[in-house]
């Protein structure tokens, strides 16, 4: 972007592997309206006392000009971070110009308009700024100038020789070098090495393991000569190394006063600078660069995790990890990792070993679940192409499902995963490593499994016969009955599929098995643990030590619970018999003063219980909307207890016989806090307040009547929509609901609003305990109740029957036939002193949740989910598609198309739904500027433009197919129609 607001495309041409500079190229003919000149480079003009100006965009301000005076020419290179980029083996210039962020790369200009240095960094606590000398910049520029000045789309790659010893030197003064043992004769020689006189010499600071100087140089060695030339400056040393790539040189050093001579081979610096990387499931993995090898003291070229992405972060592999083994095979280079990944099937769980620079002497062992092409694109190799300035992409390997023998090709994904884990990995391990030690280990593991199953079987027999009473003497009957039904959840949401405003990528909690047979199991859990269907669920059973995947099959549109299915055959015959389903007891409803047992699991999968008393069986929730709209429990009555185990403990509430009365569920809410900061100014305190929001969790009991109804619909069978569970079609429960958010008002308050005494008495007669009336808080936008019911309306009766609680309305809706086209309710309401009779329609919702998402230019687009519609507003322009998330570094990030808004038009064409949005965007070409009209949640319209980039950000779709119960990822448009 030039000063006159002309924007042109630039292409990265070169970046120095060590020093903080690089080159872009552009087409001069693309600039039509600005006359400009180049800035001459004059590194020789830099001197102490020189008045300079730093011209740039300091702190983001356009064209800031800051003054300063060069104070030093020999400052050490600044240390920016311990685990990222740092410059080294060079001096920096220093001046008190006070430059800050935004001015990096600005030219440092002298009074003649020449650039004498490049602004690189600064110290935030002072006004000091650090400038990069230009000698190496000028050298690199001359190589490019030899290649000609004509602009073409493809640039002839210019090789700039760069040599390295993988050694960091520091320039230290003679006072310190004497203490290292420097001989006086050597000091005298070094002081007279240049006409200006030297004040110090180069000393070895660190050596990278495996480099040319490894086992030859040590920290503290003083460099005296290189190829018989006295070297005391970085610039001359680098010049010699760059001119001697792949050649032998002789270094003369002094170590503790003892002269030594070593013969070394200068390594090509570009050979240890990564030019390709592997992208798999959002992870970025490449050979360890010289920069990071120097920071971490590891050997260059090891397999380095630059970004863990989804697959590795799910296994708690951190950034900067070094992968050493995968699936039992040694990993020493990136090609080894690609080879092992190509042999693993989707969903396989394999061990991975890694080390971290923070704990380098101990290996970490984790289990990785292979995700090659479900949530993300298939594994890809990106390679830097300096001729075009782009990173070209190609598949890392051919995707082939290596199904082990005996696996049914038509099996469901859950059966695939089970087959891979229990059969494919054993066969694969035998194929990959056929040593007798490995065979012995496999046999030993199988024997342990058999012994474990026998032990569990014996324990079950003892418990059934009453002979294990001593082992469980301290446990209540309810705990012993319910423990085999409890399941611990580990839920991971891929960053590419964070739909419906889900606020985290990882959840955990306790669920209860409500159905269990030899072919299928169903677990009920709260939606603060399983928030969306686009997630990976792992189940650990209290009754049997095994971890298997689960599949989200039902998300209740209103109540805070979800149902997750599992493949019972994955438990094995002993596990199937050990695991049990809980008995649900929806009626009679809990009452105040009832004794219940709160039972759940701790992190060790051990049942924990306590006896509690119900203090409020019909407490209402009032959870406000979050900053980013997400599911919140509404129109629900929950159970409160006198004592529990805290907000992190979930489980079930049972009676003394272990029958489940309610699930003890986790709820999420957002609480605004006020940050108070005090600033001193003229001995007074200035109070500055800023509102922030924090996520808070609490637990309450959810009566199981709604869970029991959904379970009955799934098991009983029927016609209509279906869901696929373990390859068997089951009926999808359809829930008829009144899409209205209600809240309660005490009858004493209702009387003050003018409600008649007759209605008050009728409501008290209907429910003498609650003594309340329901009022309308708002209607969901786009619902059939919208424009009929108004905020503040009191709901008195439905179909001539008085209603006093949410369940009364649910029962009426449940009694309506799903097949009825109308599904209408005759509602009697009280509005502003008048009693009205209205016919209000209801809506039918399934339990799939959001089943389709589009990623366009780096933003995640979906249909408006219920939490957004609950705000009571949809754009008038035929609605629109909702932006749920955006990705850093993407075009939408660059041009400011962020989340929490609707896209209603693209290039003037309406986008009322996802189909229309896809039809419009797939006609757009790579590099085309697009005009986008949006409407924010606060109803504020906006028009912005962005430039589409199909090379790095292709348009793709993720959709759930109910016929196969699989999420499918499909590329809609990519550069040159290549399926990226």
């Amino acid at each position: 972007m030039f000063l006159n607001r002309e924007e042109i495309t630039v292409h990265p041409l070169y970046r120095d592997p060590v020093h903080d500079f690089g080159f872009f190229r552009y087409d001069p003919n693309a600039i039509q309206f600005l006359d400009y000149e180049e800035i001459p480079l004059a590194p020789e003009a830099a001197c102490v006392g020189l008045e300079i100006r730093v011209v740039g965009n300091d702190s983001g301000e356009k064209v800031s000009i800051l003054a300063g005076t060069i104070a030093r020419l020999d400052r050490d290179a600044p240390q920016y971070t311990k685990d990222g980029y740092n410059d080294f083996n060079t001096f920096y210039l220093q001046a008190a110009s006070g430059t800050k962020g935004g001015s990096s790369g600005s030219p440092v200009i002298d009074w003649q308009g020449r650039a004498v240095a490049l602004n690189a960094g600064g110290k935030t606590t002072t006004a000091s700024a650090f400038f990069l000398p230009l000698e190496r910049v000028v050298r690199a520029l001359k190589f490019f100038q030899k290649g000609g000045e004509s602009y073409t789309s493809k640039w002839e790659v210019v090789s700039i020789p760069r040599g390295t010893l993988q050694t960091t030197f520091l320039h230290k003064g003679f006072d310190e070098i004497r203490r290292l043992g420097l001989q006086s004769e050597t000091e005298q020689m070094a002081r007279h090495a240049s006409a200006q006189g030297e004040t110090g010499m180069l000393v070895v600071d660190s050596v990278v393991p495996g480099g040319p100087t490894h086992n030859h140089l040590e920290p503290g060695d003083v460099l005296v000569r290189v190829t018989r030339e006295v070297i005391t400056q970085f610039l001359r040393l680098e010049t010699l190394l760059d001119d001697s790539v792949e050649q032998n040189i002789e270094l003369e050093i002094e170590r503790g006063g003892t002269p030594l001579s070593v013969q070394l081979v200068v390594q090509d610096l570009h050979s240890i600078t990564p030019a390709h990387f592997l992208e798999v499931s959002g992870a970025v993995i490449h050979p360890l660069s010289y920069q990071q090898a120097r920071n971490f003291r590891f050997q260059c070229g090891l397999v380095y995790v630059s970004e863990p992405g989804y697959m590795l972060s799910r296994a708690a592999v951190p950034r900067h990890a070094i992968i050493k083994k995968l699936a039992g095979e040694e990993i020493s280079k990136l090609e080894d990792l690609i080879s092992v990944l190509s042999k693993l099937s989707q969903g396989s769980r394999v061990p991975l070993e890694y080390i971290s620079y923070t704990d380098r002497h101990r290996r970490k062992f984790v289990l990785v679940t292979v995700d090659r092409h479900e949530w993300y694109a298939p594994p890809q190799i990106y390679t830097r192409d300096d001729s075009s300035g782009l990173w070209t992409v190609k598949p890392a390997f051919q995707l082939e499902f290596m199904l082990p023998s005996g696996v049914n090709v038509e099996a469901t994904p859950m059966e695939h995963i089970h087959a891979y884990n229990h059969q494919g990995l054993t066969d694969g391990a035998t194929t990959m490593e056929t040593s007798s030690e490995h065979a012995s280990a496999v046999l030993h593991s199988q024997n342990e499994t058999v012994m474990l199953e026998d032990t569990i079987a014996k324990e079950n027999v003892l418990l059934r016969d009453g002979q294990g009473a001593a082992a469980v003497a301290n446990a209540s009957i309810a705990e012993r009955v319910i423990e085999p039904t409890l399941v611990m959840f580990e839920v991971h949401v891929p960053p590419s599929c964070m739909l419906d405003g889900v606020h985290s990528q990882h959840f955990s909690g306790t669920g209860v098995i409500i159905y269990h047979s030899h072919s299928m199991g169903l677990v009920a859990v709260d939606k603060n643990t399983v928030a969306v269907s686009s997630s990976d669920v792992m189940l650990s059973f209290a009754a049997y030590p095994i971890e298997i995947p689960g599949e989200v099959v039902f998300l209740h549109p209103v109540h805070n619970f979800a149902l997750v299915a599992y493949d019972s055959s994955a438990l094995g015959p002993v596990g199937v018999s050990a695991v049990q389903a809980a008995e649900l007891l929806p009626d009679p409803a809990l009452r105040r003063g009832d004794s219940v047992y709160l039972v759940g699991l701790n992190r060790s999968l051990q049942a924990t219980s306590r006896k509690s008393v119900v203090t409020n069986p019909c407490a209402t929730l009032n959870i406000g909307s979050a900053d980013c709209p997400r599911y919140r429990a509404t129109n629900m009555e929950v159970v409160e207890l006198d004592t529990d185990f805290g907000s992190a403990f979930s489980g079930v509430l049972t009676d003394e016989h272990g029958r489940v009365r309610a699930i003890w569920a986790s709820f999420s809410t957002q609480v605004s806090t006020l940050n108070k900061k005090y600033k001193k100014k003229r001995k007074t305190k200035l109070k500055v307040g800023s509102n922030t929001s924090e996520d808070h969790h609490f637990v309450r009991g959810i009566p199981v009547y709604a869970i029991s109804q959904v379970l009955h619909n799934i098991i009983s069978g029927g016609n209509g929509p279906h869901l696929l569970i373990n390859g068997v079609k089951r009926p999808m429960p359809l829930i008829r609901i009144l899409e209205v958010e209600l809240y309660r008002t005490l009858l004493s308050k209702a009387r003050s609003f003018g409600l008649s005494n007759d209605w008050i008495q009728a409501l008290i007669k209907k429910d003498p305990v609650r003594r309340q009336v329901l009022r309308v808080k708002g209607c969901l936008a786009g619902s059939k109740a919208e424009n009929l019911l108004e905020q503040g309306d009191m709901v008195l009766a439905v179909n001539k029957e008085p209603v006093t609680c949410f369940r009364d309305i649910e029962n009426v809706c449940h009694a309506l036939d799903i097949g009825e086209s109308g599904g209408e309710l005759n509602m009697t309401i009280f509005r502003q002193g008048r009693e009205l009779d209205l016919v209000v329609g209801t809506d039918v919702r399934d339990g799939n949740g959001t089943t389709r998402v589009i990623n366009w230019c780096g933003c995640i687009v979906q249909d408006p989910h219920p939490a957004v519609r609950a705000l009571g507003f949809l754009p008038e322009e035929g609605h629109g598609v909702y932006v749920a998330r955006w990705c850093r570094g993407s075009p939408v990030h660059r041009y400011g198309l962020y989340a929490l808004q609707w896209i209603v038009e693209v290039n003037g064409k309406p986008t009322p739904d996802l189909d229309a949005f896809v039809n419009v965007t797939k006609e757009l070409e790579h590099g085309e500027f697009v005009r986008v009209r949006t409407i924010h949640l606060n109803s504020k319209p906006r028009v912005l433009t962005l430039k589409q980039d199909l090379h790095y950000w292709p348009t793709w779709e993720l959709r759930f197919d109910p016929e196969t119960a699989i999420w499918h990822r499909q590329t809609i448009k990519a550069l040159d129609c290549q399926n990226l």
Side-chain angles (χ1 to χ4, degrees), residues 67 77 183 191 302 348 371 377 426 586 637 649 694 843 870 953:
Q183 297 180 5
R191 283 183 178 275
L302 297 178
S348 301
D371 175 32
T426 303
E637 289 186 342
F649 185 89
E694 296 179 355
D843 294 270
W953 299 94

Side-chain angles (χ1 to χ4, degrees), residues 797-816:
V798 176
N799 295 343
K800 304 302 182 181
E801 290 292 328
V803 295
T804 60
C805 63
F806 307 120
R807 188 173 180 181
D808 290 343
I809 298 178
E810 287 182 26
N811 290 337
V812 177
C813 292
H814 182 71
L816 295 175

Side-chain angles (χ1 to χ4, degrees), residues 292-309:
Q292 294 294 58
R294 172 180 171 269
N295 289 334
F296 303 153
R297 294 208 73 251
F298 286 131
Q299 182 177 346
C300 289
L302 297 178
V303 180
Y304 168 72
V305 178
S306 174
E307 195 66 42

Side-chain angles (χ1 to χ4, degrees), residues 624-941:
S625 297
D627 295 337
C628 178
R630 66 189 190 219
Y631 169 78
R632 57 190 178 93
T634 58
N635 298 353
M636 286 182 61
E637 289 186 342
V638 295
V639 180
E640 294 180 344
L641 303 179
D642 59 344
T643 55
D644 56 30
F645 289 106
S647 60
F649 185 89
S650 56
V652 293
L653 301 181
T654 74
D655 61 9
E656 65 274 13
H657 302 294
R659 295 174 296 187
V660 177
R661 308 296 305 277
I663 63 171
W664 192 243
S666 175
F667 294 80
S668 176
T669 184
Q670 205 171 67
V671 178
S672 296
T673 59
L674 188 65
N675 289 340
K676 298 179 180 179
K677 300 179 181 178
Y678 295 91
K679 296 183 178 180
K680 288 187 177 181
K681 185 178 182 182
R682 295 180 183 177
K683 298 183 180 180
T684 62
K685 290 185 177 180
L686 176 65
K687 179 179 175 183
V688 180
S690 61
N691 288 321
T692 60
S693 298
E694 296 179 355
D695 288 324
H696 286 262
H697 304 275
F698 62 94
V699 283
R700 296 291 187 271
I702 301 176
V704 297
Y705 69 87
I707 300 176
S708 180
Q709 291 173 356
V710 172
L711 176 62
H712 174 75
N713 292 339
I714 293 177
I715 301 303
S716 62
N719 299 321
H722 66 270
L723 53 87
L724 194 68
I725 304 178
N726 296 347
V728 179
K729 290 185 177 181
R730 305 275 183 174
M732 166 62 77
L734 298 179
I735 310 297
R736 185 178 290 279
I737 57 177
L738 179 68
E739 287 199 321
V740 177
E741 186 174 351
L742 304 169
Y743 67 100
R744 70 174 187 127
T745 295
L746 296 178
L747 291 179
S748 58
K749 298 288 185 182
R751 188 188 297 273
S752 301
F753 281 100
L755 186 62
S756 67
N757 186 67
D758 292 340
W759 271 112
I760 291 177
Q761 294 301 321
L763 295 175
I764 292 176
K765 182 179 179 180
K766 172 68 167 54
D767 191 341
V769 176
R770 289 181 175 83
R771 295 174 176 264
Q772 65 186 23
V773 63
L774 299 181
R775 302 190 71 181
V776 175
K777 188 174 184 179
C779 299
L780 272 68
S783 67
K784 294 181 180 179
E786 190 180 23
N787 302 324
L788 292 175
L789 297 178
E790 298 179 1
Q791 295 182 18
D793 287 351
M794 296 184 187
V795 181
L796 304 178
V798 176
N799 295 343
K800 304 302 182 181
E801 290 292 328
V803 295
T804 60
C805 63
F806 307 120
R807 188 173 180 181
D808 290 343
I809 298 178
E810 287 182 26
N811 290 337
V812 177
C813 292
H814 182 71
L816 295 175
D817 186 0
I818 294 295
E820 291 182 7
S821 58
E824 296 173 338
L825 302 177
N826 296 313
M827 301 184 66
T828 303
I829 65 169
F830 182 75
R831 176 186 298 169
Q832 298 179 355
R834 294 185 303 158
E835 183 180 321
L836 302 175
D837 290 323
L838 300 176
V839 178
V840 181
T842 57
D843 294 270
V844 177
R845 297 288 178 257
D846 60 24
N848 283 326
T850 299
T851 58
R852 188 185 183 192
V853 60
I854 308 291
N855 189 302
W856 176 69
C857 290
C859 67
I860 297 177
V861 178
Q862 65 170 94
D863 285 323
H865 55 90
V868 174
R869 296 171 51 234
L871 299 178
F873 168 75
L874 286 175
E876 296 179 356
E877 294 86 345
H879 307 329
V881 293
Y882 178 70
V883 181
R885 298 276 174 174
W886 55 272
C887 304
R888 293 189 179 276
S890 64
V892 298
H893 182 199
R894 162 68 176 84
Y895 294 97
L897 177 57
Y898 298 130
L900 308 184
Q901 52 190 327
W902 288 274
I903 297 177
V904 296
E905 286 182 6
V906 175
N907 283 348
K909 298 180 180 179
T911 56
D913 53 36
L914 289 178
D915 288 331
F917 182 78
V918 169
N919 291 333
V920 172
T921 55
K922 71 181 181 182
E923 300 300 326
L924 305 175
E925 299 300 329
H926 172 70
E928 180 180 348
F929 277 95
V930 183
R931 186 176 70 257
V932 182
R933 184 169 185 266
T934 67
I935 296 181
H936 197 269
L937 286 181
N938 60 12
S939 73
K940 181 179 179 180

Side-chain angles (χ1 to χ4, degrees), residues 19-30:
H19 300 312
D20 194 6
F21 74 91
F23 290 97
F24 288 96
R25 65 183 179 95
Y26 67 94
D27 183 4
N29 297 323

